[in-house]
Structures are given as C-alpha cells and as structure tokens.
Amino acid sequence: SGDTSVTAAQPDVPQPSAERTALPAGGPSGAVAVLTFEVSGVAAGTVVDAKLVLPGAGDASPGGTLAVLQNTWVDADLASYTPVMDAGPAAVTDVGTIVAGESTVVDVTGVVTSDGFVTFLVLGTPDQMAVLASSESGSPATLVITIEEATLPD
C-alpha cells in the first residue's frame, strides 16, 4: 500500500517522507490519512468479506469517518489535500477508536469488489487528532479480502 497524510491547513503541500512514520487524521489542522491499495487476483462478484485493518500509533482518539476513492491511486510523494478532496471521496462508515499498539478493524465489504486501485481516507474529527502507524513505521494498514473459492462441477 501507499500511505501518507494531507492537511487542510496546508492544502497544497505533500507530507514530507521523513514525517510519514505516523499518519495523523483530524485535529485542528484538518489532517486526512490516505491509504492506497492495489487489489489483484480478485474476480468481480467473488468478494465475501473485506476488512481494513488500521494500526494505531497515538493516544486513543476517534477515527471519525472512513471515505473511499474508488479506482484511484494516490501517490504518497505528491499527494496534497486539495486534489485528494477534490477527487470526491464517498463516505463509507465510522472508523471507531484508534489506539496505539492496537488495530482497529473496519468492514469494507461492498467497497472492495474486484481488481483495481482503492484509496481509503481516514478523516478523523476536528477536536482530536488520531494517529495511524504507516508503512514507513513497519506497521502499515492492511486490506484483508476473503473471496469465494471457485468449484468445478464433478
């Protein structure tokens, strides 16, 4: 996956790679954690379960809303708030609480349906910043997909 964080406070500035060991979401700067995955080997109509696993890295905080950009690859080195939000993310569900050293699991069944790119946005809440671990920290978010096994007739 590719991951970064962008902020409304600096809408046209990418997160420097040296700061990507933690991905803020919410708080006064309006941070948004951006998580991009490439799904492959999944035929349309075969996904029976999909979970987004979010590793926490900061104090216990509400994760706010999870949104999605379908069929969209976000380059972590170039991403900034304005183009990410202008791409029209669709709200999916509430994230729940993000806690350091624990994983928050979010059901994204119905969002991930076949091969392609999918980018999830953790929007957080304005009053408290949640922090996710990143791929640079060694504990990236993961997308766990369960598919139907194809059975051949006897």
Side-chain angles (χ1 to χ4, degrees), residues 92-131:
V92 176
T93 190
D94 184 68
V95 172
T97 302
I98 305 290
V99 180
E102 296 182 19
S103 291
T104 300
V105 179
V106 183
D107 187 348
V108 292
T109 305
V111 174
V112 179
T113 57
S114 63
D115 286 356
F117 296 113
V118 61
T119 295
F120 292 102
L121 307 177
V122 179
L123 303 178
T125 61
D127 55 329
Q128 191 173 4
M129 183 182 296
V131 182

Side-chain angles (χ1 to χ4, degrees), residues 2-6 23-24 32-36 69 74 79 84 119-122:
D3 53 23
T4 190
S5 186
V6 298
L23 305 174
V32 176
V34 181
L35 311 164
T36 298
L69 293 170
V74 175
V84 167
T119 295
F120 292 102
L121 307 177
V122 179

